[in-house]
Amino acid sequence: MSSWAWALKPSRDWIATPDSLGLRYQTVALTTPDHVQLTGWLIEPAQGVADRRTTMVVAYGDFGNMSNELYQARALTAAGYRVYLFDYRGFGHSADFAIDNQRLYYHEFAVDLAAALADARQRYPHNRTGIMAFSMGSIMASEVAATAPHCDFLVTEGYVASPQCLVAYQWQSRQKQVSLPAEAAAYSHYAPRIRCPWLLVGGTADKHTPLADSVAVVRDARRRQRRQVLAFEGTHLQGMVVLSEVSFGDKYVREVTRFLAAGKRG
């Protein structure tokens, strides 16, 4: 399940592997442009379900590792998506990286995400390939979607509109001091540059990444920038829990599918 801490809390230990949930997968190894070795899982669409020929590269938040996203992956593969999970450097079984636990994120994580996106596209060149990002992962996803070639879509839940405002909120509400990398100064330039279809999922009671921030991204969209908000009654990262009917996250995934299908028609 997705979790967050609002400062980095990586874990080296996987809580489970995809086969423990009956998922078909392979372990992948990839190397970033700055020669860092990362580990990932490429999870296939569920058996008996039509392959949507769409790969979801998942950018998780600041807590745990990719194994915390397995239930989200199961919901997506049950609907015919291929899911690419990976661990940032310093997380899970990826290469060592010195992490300050009072830091919100590192710019290097965006390098890792871009490498995973490129690897996913290379492995399945005829698939539609995009990013699904949760919480802190939306920071890296915004940069990659704005700057990397060929990101076909972006889905964010708990979108961080301003790392600086988030750090200030942590101090005001919890007296928790969190630092940012120097690259955070350029973050506000990314959202206007994102050209791919973008679905922003947010909770009406989310105080950390307010729904109003996602609404503003849609409001400020320029011509030919297709953006939409999916709101749910709940707090931070409760989307798949709230938007469940028969199985975990099934309604959530149907809404994502509806959004992506509209883009194909358009």
Side-chain angles (χ1 to χ4, degrees), residues 136-207:
M136 184 273 289
S138 69
I139 299 175
M140 284 73 75
S142 297
E143 177 177 347
V144 172
T147 59
H150 310 307
C151 181
D152 293 329
F153 60 85
L154 175 61
V155 180
T156 57
E157 181 178 344
Y159 169 65
V160 177
S162 167
Q164 294 82 2
C165 289
L166 184 55
V167 166
Y169 178 78
Q170 292 307 302
W171 177 251
Q172 293 164 5
S173 64
R174 302 167 60 190
Q175 285 70 59
K176 182 175 183 178
Q177 194 163 21
V178 180
S179 64
L180 292 171
E183 291 86 354
Y187 181 70
S188 62
H189 300 297
Y190 293 132
R193 295 169 56 189
I194 295 172
R195 299 300 177 190
C196 64
W198 185 359
L199 177 64
L200 298 104
V201 185
T204 56
D206 188 341
K207 295 181 180 179

Side-chain angles (χ1 to χ4, degrees), residues 2-3 18 24 46 58 66 78 80 82 100 104 114 137 173 182 193 208 250:
S2 289
S3 300
R24 298 180 300 142
V58 176
M66 65 179 173
R82 182 169 282 103
D100 177 359
L104 182 64
S173 64
R193 295 169 56 189
H208 300 278
D250 56 350

